[in-house]
């Protein structure tokens, strides 16, 4: 599926009857409640920070979808304070991570690093943070999504393709596939939805890299969605709007599958 999101094509507003039909996507809608953030740390080979976003009208007994953000080089977990509300103030619990590798300079910059040892550290970081969050918050186990921005897309792709059965979908914004790419486990990857959004004038990651990622998932038989935007390497204002719509459709589809599996044969 190809979509030009330069601004001319708007998603229609979702009818309220769909909100009622898939109410579990949104969680509680307490009147007057506002979203909140809180930090915690996880111990892997070192102490690494995590920032959590709780949506407005948070309902402790509801199993929320979870969105895990992987920021690009130079950004960190604090970027979640901007991204999570842009995605949705009510629909999801979100986690913000940061690359575990630090580059010294006038200002410390973080990135995701390279090499097998580094990726094992990233895996431990993500799964430890996920386990800690699920210990204290109700998270829907079949609705955990990864969102990678710029360099963070490489980390999100690698984790999703290495553990496709653990995640409900992967989003890459202005990023590219990891090199080398994890070996495909086709039976599992075919069930891994992917959303690829890319700026048509990105000077750092050309549009051809996003097309390559699209072909990678399409050839594997995975349900992949491809969007282009009138922007450079910067995030287009419509990107998170479109990701939110896609996440809701994934949650609705998974809900329908669960209901179908419960029906007597």
């Amino acid at each position: 599926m190809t979509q030009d999101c330069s601004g001319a094509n708007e998603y229609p507003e979702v009818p309220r009857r769909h909100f009622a039909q898939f109410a579990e996507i949104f969680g509680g809608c307490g009147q007057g409640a506002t979203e909140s953030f809180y930090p915690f740390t996880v111990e892997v080979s070192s102490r690494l920070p995590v920032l959590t976003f709780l949506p407005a009208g948070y309902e402790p007994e509801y199993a929320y979808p979870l969105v895990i953000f992987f920021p690009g080089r130079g950004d960190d977990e604090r970027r979640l304070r901007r991204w999570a509300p842009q995605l949705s103030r009510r629909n999801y619990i979100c986690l913000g991570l940061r690359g575990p590798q630090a580059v010294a300079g006038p200002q410390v910059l973080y990135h995701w690093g390279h090499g097998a040892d580094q990726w094992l550290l990233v895996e431990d970081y993500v799964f430890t943070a996920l386990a800690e969050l699920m210990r204290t918050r109700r998270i829907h186990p079949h609705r955990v999504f990864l969102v990678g921005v710029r360099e963070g897309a490489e980390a999100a792709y690698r984790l999703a393709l290495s553990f496709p059965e653990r995640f409900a979908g992967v989003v890459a914004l202005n990023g590219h596939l990891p090199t080398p790419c994890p070996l495909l486990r086709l039976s599992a990857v075919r069930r891994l939805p992917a959303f690829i959004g890319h700026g048509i004038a990105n000077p750092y990651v050309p549009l051809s890299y996003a097309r390559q990622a699209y072909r990678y998932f399409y050839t594997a038989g995975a349900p992949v969605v491809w969007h282009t935007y009138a922007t450079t390497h910067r995030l287009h204002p419509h990107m998170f709007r479109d990701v939110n719509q896609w996440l809701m459709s994934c949650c609705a589809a998974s809900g329908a599958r669960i209901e179908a599996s419960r029906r007597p044969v």
Side-chain angles (χ1 to χ4, degrees), residues 58-80:
Y58 172 70
E59 294 285 351
E61 299 306 313
Y62 169 71
Y64 280 87
L66 174 67
V67 180
I68 303 176
F69 283 89
F70 297 76
R73 183 185 182 93
D75 282 331
D76 58 31
E77 73 283 358
R78 293 171 294 182
R79 185 61 68 174
L80 186 71

Side-chain angles (χ1 to χ4, degrees), residues 233-253:
H233 61 290
R234 301 184 184 279
L235 296 182
H236 190 278
H238 292 169
M239 281 182 169
F240 284 129
R241 177 205 64 183
D242 295 344
V243 171
N244 180 42
Q245 292 281 345
W246 178 81
L247 291 172
M248 288 196 295
S249 69
C250 288
C251 290

Side-chain angles (χ1 to χ4, degrees), residues 195-206:
F195 178 106
I196 299 169
H198 211 84
I200 59 176
N202 190 324
Y204 301 109
V205 183

Side-chain angles (χ1 to χ4, degrees), residues 103-242:
V103 178
Q107 196 172 17
V108 178
L109 302 178
Y110 298 97
H111 67 100
W112 294 97
H114 300 281
D117 291 343
Q118 190 62 29
W119 287 117
L120 287 175
L121 172 61
V122 171
E123 290 172 11
D124 287 345
Y125 181 19
V126 173
F127 288 123
T128 302
L130 179 57
E132 176 64 22
L133 181 68
M134 295 182 80
R135 189 179 64 81
T136 58
R137 308 289 177 182
R138 287 202 66 195
I139 302 298
H140 197 300
H142 303 301
R143 295 177 183 171
V144 178
F145 298 89
L146 308 180
V147 176
V149 178
R150 294 186 285 272
E151 185 204 10
E154 184 178 358
Y157 272 141
R158 184 178 293 276
L159 198 64
L161 292 170
S162 298
F163 303 94
E165 69 286 347
R166 298 288 300 271
F167 302 107
V170 60
V171 175
L173 301 177
N174 284 335
H176 60 81
L177 288 168
T179 305
C181 208
L183 293 175
L184 282 178
R185 287 184 287 151
L186 287 177
S187 61
V189 171
R190 284 193 186 104
R191 297 190 295 272
L192 179 69
F195 178 106
I196 299 169
H198 211 84
I200 59 176
N202 190 324
Y204 301 109
V205 183
L207 189 61
S208 60
Y209 283 62
R211 290 197 186 99
Q212 179 187 26
Y214 173 81
R215 288 194 297 268
Y216 186 86
F217 282 92
Y218 181 83
T219 303
V224 57
V225 174
W226 152 267
H227 293 255
T228 57
Y229 299 85
T231 187
T232 58
H233 61 290
R234 301 184 184 279
L235 296 182
H236 190 278
H238 292 169
M239 281 182 169
F240 284 129
R241 177 205 64 183
D242 295 344

